[in-house]
């Protein structure tokens, strides 16, 4: 389905009957509704709660956004999230964010936005040189390899999706990007799910969240890269389900 949010058409998917606590999925920097695959369905079934999945403007089948994206594009998306939730009729969100989506969740909750709990898959709260090197490798794979062809299956405007993510991260000014100021203001429990082999972030991200936020649990997965829900789907599903049933009272 498509939702109208501030005049733009946003691709979205509703799982289960709306109402009450709802799992809201915020995708990674190159993600979309489709790239979550069946994980939202599996988590909705495991928790017995409805889910809402959407593609941000410029991703998936959503309408194209203004380009170039600013360095603070994740702050902008966090500012838009309340409008997305209102359009979807979600009043009691549990935010499940992956990578960029996790960072957007942190900004939203740390700015007083609604959330019953946060599940952060491979989150970023600060820049690391190793992560920037991986993003530079992604640019090379897009320009010279088959990454563009693979992503084109999932995005109506693949160039907008890729460059809207890649260029801000590789801007020299992005090295100053930091979200640690938002962490002490988050009032709800947090689960961080991180792969030991994450090519975009180290445990420094976890440590920063533990230092700054008041209520943090961590699930560190072996043989897992940047996408725990794809690399270790069963372990990720069990960990999130247990956390939400214990801490979010689902």
């Amino acid at each position: 389905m498509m939702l109208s949010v501030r005049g733009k058409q946003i691709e979205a998917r509703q799982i289960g009957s709306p109402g009450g606590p709802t799992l809201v999925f915020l995708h990674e920097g190159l993600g979309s509704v489709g790239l979550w695959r069946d994980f939202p369905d599996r988590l909705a079934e495991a928790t017995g709660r409805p889910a809402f999945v959407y593609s941000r403007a410029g991703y998936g089948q959503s309408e194209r956004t203004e380009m170039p994206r600013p360095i603070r594009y994740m702050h902008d998306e966090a500012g838009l999230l309340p409008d997305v939730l209102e359009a979807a009729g979600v009043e009691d969100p549990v935010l499940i964010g992956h990578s960029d989506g996790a960072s957007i969740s942190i900004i939203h909750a740390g700015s007083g936005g609604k959330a019953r709990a946060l599940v952060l898959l491979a989150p970023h709260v600060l820049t690391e040189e190793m992560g920037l090197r991986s993003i530079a490798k992604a640019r090379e794979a897009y320009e010279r390899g088959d990454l563009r062809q693979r992503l084109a299956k999932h995005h109506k405007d693949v160039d907008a999706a890729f460059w809207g993510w890649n260029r801000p991260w590789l801007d020299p000014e992005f090295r100053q990007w930091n979200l640690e100021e938002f962490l002490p203001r988050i009032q709800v429990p947090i689960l961080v799910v991180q792969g030991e082999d994450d090519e975009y972030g180290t445990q420094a991200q976890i440590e920063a969240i533990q230092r700054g936020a008041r209520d943090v649990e961590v699930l560190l997965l072996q043989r897992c890269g940047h996408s725990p829900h794809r690399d270790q789907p069963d372990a990720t599903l069990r960990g999130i389900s247990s956390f939400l049933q214990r801490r979010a009272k689902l």
Side-chain angles (χ1 to χ4, degrees), residues 76-94:
D76 294 342
E77 292 290 354
L80 185 63
L81 181 56
D83 290 352
V84 175
L85 297 175
E86 182 179 4
V90 175
E91 297 182 353
D92 189 0
V94 175

Side-chain angles (χ1 to χ4, degrees), residues 30 33 38 54 67 76 115 125 132 147 172 175 199 246:
L30 294 176
V33 167
D38 67 343
Y54 75 103
M67 297 288 282
D76 294 342
V125 295
L132 296 177
L147 181 58
R175 282 178 164 79
E199 61 273 34
R246 287 184 292 105

Side-chain angles (χ1 to χ4, degrees), residues 80-141:
L80 185 63
L81 181 56
D83 290 352
V84 175
L85 297 175
E86 182 179 4
V90 175
E91 297 182 353
D92 189 0
V94 175
L95 300 184
I96 302 171
H98 177 212
S99 192
D100 275 18
S103 300
I104 293 165
S105 300
I106 288 169
I107 299 169
H108 169 83
S111 301
K114 287 183 182 179
R116 177 179 285 245
L118 302 185
V119 176
L120 308 176
L121 308 174
H124 298 287
V125 295
L126 48 86
T127 56
E128 297 182 87
E129 287 300 323
M130 60 82 69
L132 296 177
R133 287 194 297 270
S134 294
I135 291 170
K137 289 179 182 177
R139 179 181 61 192
E140 184 174 346

Side-chain angles (χ1 to χ4, degrees), residues 26-49:
L26 295 94
H27 62 73
E28 64 183 303
L30 294 176
S32 66
V33 167
L35 278 166
W36 280 107
R37 301 177 185 172
D38 67 343
F39 191 77
D41 302 82
R42 294 184 65 194
L43 189 59
E45 181 178 1
T47 59
R49 300 310 311 167

Side-chain angles (χ1 to χ4, degrees), residues 9-84:
Q9 294 298 301
I10 301 297
E11 177 190 21
R13 182 170 174 245
Q14 178 74 47
I15 301 168
S17 301
T22 302
L23 311 178
V24 176
F25 289 80
L26 295 94
H27 62 73
E28 64 183 303
L30 294 176
S32 66
V33 167
L35 278 166
W36 280 107
R37 301 177 185 172
D38 67 343
F39 191 77
D41 302 82
R42 294 184 65 194
L43 189 59
E45 181 178 1
T47 59
R49 300 310 311 167
F52 172 73
V53 194
Y54 75 103
S55 299
R56 298 188 292 275
Y59 295 96
Q61 301 307 306
S62 293
E63 189 174 339
R64 194 176 191 270
T65 190
E66 293 76 17
M67 297 288 282
R69 285 185 186 268
I71 290 171
R72 289 175 56 86
Y73 73 92
M74 283 180 269
H75 294 71
D76 294 342
E77 292 290 354
L80 185 63
L81 181 56
D83 290 352
V84 175

